[in-house]
Amino acid sequence: MRAARLIRMALLLQSTPGLTAAELARELEVSERTVIRDVQALQDAGVPVRSERGRTGGYRLAPGHRTRLTTLHPTEAETLYLSGLPSALRDLGLSDAAGTARLKLSATLLPSLRAAAESSVRRFHLDAPAWFREPSTPELLPELARALWADLAVEFAYARPGREPGAPRRVEPYGLVLKAGVWYLVSRLPDVPDPAFRTHRADRITALRTLPDEAFTRDPSFDLAAYWQEHSARFARSLLRAAVTLRLTPEGARRLPEVTDPTAAGRALAAAPPPDPTGRVTLELAVESEEIAFAELARLGADAEVLAPPALRARFARHARSLAALYRDAEPGPEPDAEPGPAPRSEPDAGPAWSQR
């Protein structure tokens, strides 16, 4: 544990000279007293760590000192080769650069570590796009990525499905996210009060112009991963615009998260009153629409009874009558040993509601 932390500290000082004890403590998630002890341990081990006082002071490595990658553990080398998506690098126009970087990295590793790293490529492959969907590779994505790397503002035209492109908009690109084979641009609107971050589908950008004279300063507090997680959750909640009242058997309650949104199912089950004497539980489930609810809940069969809304209950009644008529003359067969697994859920064609602005 401590050995790994000492290596990480040395790498941090190599990449970011002048870090203070407080900054190192935050990065390493330890106390400042532990940082001071670790610095002493590095010095005792022969790593030339220097402490400088003053406004521009902090910890630094002696000029010319480099931490060698030959100290990597085989597991770390394997993980390093899995840190990128080949398709994503290709979409961004970075596949050649990534290949060159991997060659340079391989050249610095010990033979045993090189073999461990290369073996991971033969065993694992990451495929980002979803099933039954052609991956979307926006033509303007490499140019957008170049502007993002350089922190340059861009101006683009955006067209939602079935509509003409709107007026050009100027934004500061903060990040690109690949979600189920679709690229999204996260950007800040400079003329809108905070928070002014927006998300757009990159494949709906019809024209793009980089503004080379309009470099911007990134907000150091912005966390792309945290932003995407928060707004993805908000988008998922925004889809659940309808409600269905259900009566479920114990088996239906167990399988509910398998056929519908797991978060919505969990909340409905947690808020449900105790089961009735027959073991059935009545609850209210948030759903995208009655149409999607019918497709999802029909997979529960007789383990789910729709009580409301009346139109959906009537639709299930018609469906049950049609099935009974279809199989009226069928010979009864043996009971199945296990229920079939859940069918894959369809995903909305449009991007997040907050990407339509």
Side-chain angles (χ1 to χ4, degrees):
M1 181 75 176
R2 190 189 186 196
R5 189 174 70 241
L6 291 174
I7 293 174
R8 189 180 175 197
M9 176 183 285
L11 291 172
L12 282 170
L13 294 177
Q14 179 174 299
S15 60
T16 314
L19 289 174
T20 64
E23 291 168 335
L24 284 169
R26 284 195 298 269
E27 288 287 340
L28 300 171
E29 298 180 350
V30 295
S31 66
E32 291 187 36
R33 180 173 296 181
T34 299
V35 167
I36 294 172
R37 287 199 299 263
D38 286 352
V39 167
Q40 182 63 51
L42 285 175
Q43 292 171 339
D44 292 342
V47 179
V49 181
R50 297 180 178 179
S51 175
E52 299 178 2
R53 299 182 180 275
R55 292 177 53 190
T56 60
Y59 290 107
R60 303 173 186 273
L61 296 178
H65 179 83
R66 304 288 293 178
T67 300
R68 295 173 178 264
L69 284 175
T70 49
T71 59
L72 283 175
H73 186 274
T75 304
E76 296 170 331
E78 291 168 356
T79 306
L80 204 56
Y81 269 63
L82 292 176
S83 60
L85 292 170
S87 58
L89 293 171
R90 182 177 61 251
D91 291 349
L92 294 170
L94 298 174
S95 55
D96 290 343
T100 302
R102 280 192 292 270
L103 287 174
K104 290 181 178 179
L105 175 61
S106 294
T108 66
L109 295 176
L110 291 172
S112 59
L113 295 178
R114 190 181 308 133
E118 292 173 352
S119 69
S120 65
V121 179
R122 303 189 189 100
R123 289 171 172 79
F124 300 98
H125 176 71
L126 303 176
D127 186 9
W131 289 104
F132 312 114
R133 176 181 296 177
E134 288 296 323
S136 173
T137 306
E139 182 179 348
L140 299 171
L141 189 63
E143 181 180 351
L144 190 57
R146 287 192 291 270
L148 192 150
W149 277 113
D151 290 340
L152 293 176
V154 299
E155 187 178 80
F156 65 80
Y158 192 75
R160 288 176 287 186
R163 301 187 186 182
E164 293 296 322
R169 60 193 75 184
R170 178 185 173 276
V171 302
E172 298 171 349
Y174 262 64
L176 285 165
V177 177
L178 180 62
K179 170 72 171 180
V182 179
W183 284 97
Y184 293 90
L185 168 67
V186 177
S187 57
R188 183 173 66 178
L189 306 182
D191 301 324
V192 177
D194 290 336
F197 290 96
R198 299 291 185 268
T199 305
H200 301 87
R201 280 184 60 147
D203 58 355
R204 294 178 184 167
I205 296 177
T206 59
L208 176 70
R209 184 168 68 94
T210 301
L211 306 176
D213 298 328
E214 296 191 32
F216 64 92
T217 302
R218 296 175 64 89
D219 181 353
S221 66
F222 179 76
D223 186 327
L224 179 61
Y227 169 88
W228 183 259
Q229 182 178 11
E230 175 189 347
H231 285 271
S232 295
R234 183 187 303 176
F235 169 58
R237 291 193 299 267
S238 73
L239 292 176
L240 306 178
R241 303 185 182 96
V244 174
T245 304
L246 297 173
R247 183 183 292 129
L248 300 170
T249 66
E251 177 64 12
R254 183 188 69 81
R255 292 187 55 214
L256 184 64
E258 299 175 0
V259 302
T260 189
D261 180 78
T263 302
R267 289 175 178 168
L269 291 167
D276 63 20
T278 67
R280 293 174 181 262
V281 62
T282 301
L283 53 81
E284 186 169 286
L285 175 69
V287 295
E288 294 183 39
S289 66
E290 291 186 17
E291 183 71 26
I292 292 178
F294 176 80
E296 293 177 339
L297 298 175
R299 301 209 293 273
L300 294 179
D303 288 315
E305 178 188 0
V306 173
L307 303 179
L312 184 59
R313 179 177 173 86
R315 181 171 180 179
F316 269 96
R318 292 193 300 272
H319 180 63
R321 288 193 296 268
S322 65
L323 285 177
L326 182 64
Y327 294 102
R328 183 180 297 118
D329 300 329
E331 292 291 334
E335 291 292 328
D337 293 332
E339 293 288 343
R345 295 189 65 205
S346 58
E347 298 180 12
D349 177 66
W354 28 270
S355 71
Q356 308 300 324
R357 302 178 186 178

